[in-house]
Amino acid sequence: MARPLTSPPLALREIIILPDKRLRLVSEPVKKITADIRKLVDDMFETMYDAPGIGLAAIQVGTPKRVVTMDLAKKEGEPKNPQVFINPEILWASAETATYEEGCLSIPEYYSDVERPAQVKVRYLDLEGTTREVDANGLLATCLQHEIDHINGVLFIDHISKLKRDRVIKKFSKAAKRTVE
Ligand SMILES: [Zn+2]
């Protein structure tokens, strides 16, 4: 039989949304880069590009593993720049800070300025299991900190005022209730 004239099946995973309690889990380190981890990374890229988003932590698809995918290629048509960070950890952060307007696929359509260290040094494993280090600044530094927060159960709204945070949590909790009813 001829192969169907469709693209290969996308392995999209569902992105969990605030106030899902799993977003507060501390994810487990990856001990070995198995076929399951590679499949998780593939699915995370599919899901991230589909959303679309520039960064995704495994816990956002409900998998509490310390795995992060990212692609900071900006414009449409610009070549893709997929990056994977396994067991990422911040080794150093600058005293100097930078402020970016952040958003999150788990808190859709909500954006707020967040102040974080402007530069960070991060150690991680690549998909081959090789230990690497990156000196990040600009958007990469912000994104890495945002995603490393995720694998520690922290959300970007934890860095904004309590008043604003309570307001956004309330809004999403109400929406979740409406979905259940
Ligand atoms: Zn996020």
Side-chain angles (χ1 to χ4, degrees):
M1 218 175 105
R3 285 168 63 190
L5 293 170
T6 53
S7 349
L10 291 175
L12 292 179
R13 300 202 187 188
E14 191 191 340
I15 296 176
I16 62 175
I17 305 290
L18 191 75
D20 194 308
K21 286 196 177 71
R22 289 171 290 175
L23 289 169
R24 294 306 189 176
L25 290 175
V26 175
S27 295
E28 294 284 334
V30 172
K31 291 201 189 83
K32 209 176 159 209
I33 304 194
T34 58
D36 279 355
I37 294 294
R38 287 170 187 279
K39 174 79 173 109
L40 171 66
V41 167
D42 284 350
D43 289 356
M44 284 172 65
F45 275 117
E46 293 288 358
T47 306
M48 184 181 86
Y49 286 128
D50 179 74
I54 58 173
L56 191 68
I59 190 59
Q60 291 180 275
V61 293
T63 304
K65 296 268 186 210
R66 301 181 83 83
V67 175
V68 165
T69 56
M70 209 176 280
D71 191 330
L72 303 183
K74 278 192 193 81
K75 292 182 206 100
E76 238 172 281
E78 198 176 316
K80 282 184 179 175
N81 179 28
Q83 291 179 282
V84 185
F85 303 90
I86 295 167
N87 301 340
E89 51 176 324
I90 294 172
L91 300 178
W92 171 85
S94 66
E96 185 202 337
T97 62
T99 301
Y100 273 91
E101 188 181 60
E102 295 188 25
C104 181
L105 294 176
S106 295
I107 313 174
E109 286 164 41
Y110 181 78
Y111 304 91
S112 187
D113 279 349
V114 177
E115 187 182 6
R116 300 181 184 269
Q119 284 114 35
V120 286
K121 183 190 270 291
V122 171
R123 181 194 287 154
Y124 63 99
L125 297 179
D126 66 17
L127 261 184
E128 275 66 54
T130 306
T131 302
R132 296 187 178 275
E133 282 180 17
V134 59
D135 288 300
N137 56 49
L139 184 59
L140 178 60
T142 288
C143 246
L144 277 168
Q145 291 174 81
H146 178 119
E147 301 307 335
I148 291 170
D149 270 357
H150 270 303
I151 62 179
N152 291 320
V154 175
L155 299 170
F156 85 91
I157 54 170
D158 299 341
H159 298 287
I160 65 179
S161 76
K162 187 178 184 308
L163 185 75
K164 279 182 166 176
R165 178 167 62 251
D166 287 350
R167 207 183 289 152
V168 65
I169 290 173
K170 201 171 157 190
K171 187 180 151 208
F172 278 84
S173 299
K174 272 189 183 167
K177 248 188 209 159
R178 271 202 302 273
T179 312
V180 170
E181 276 163 6

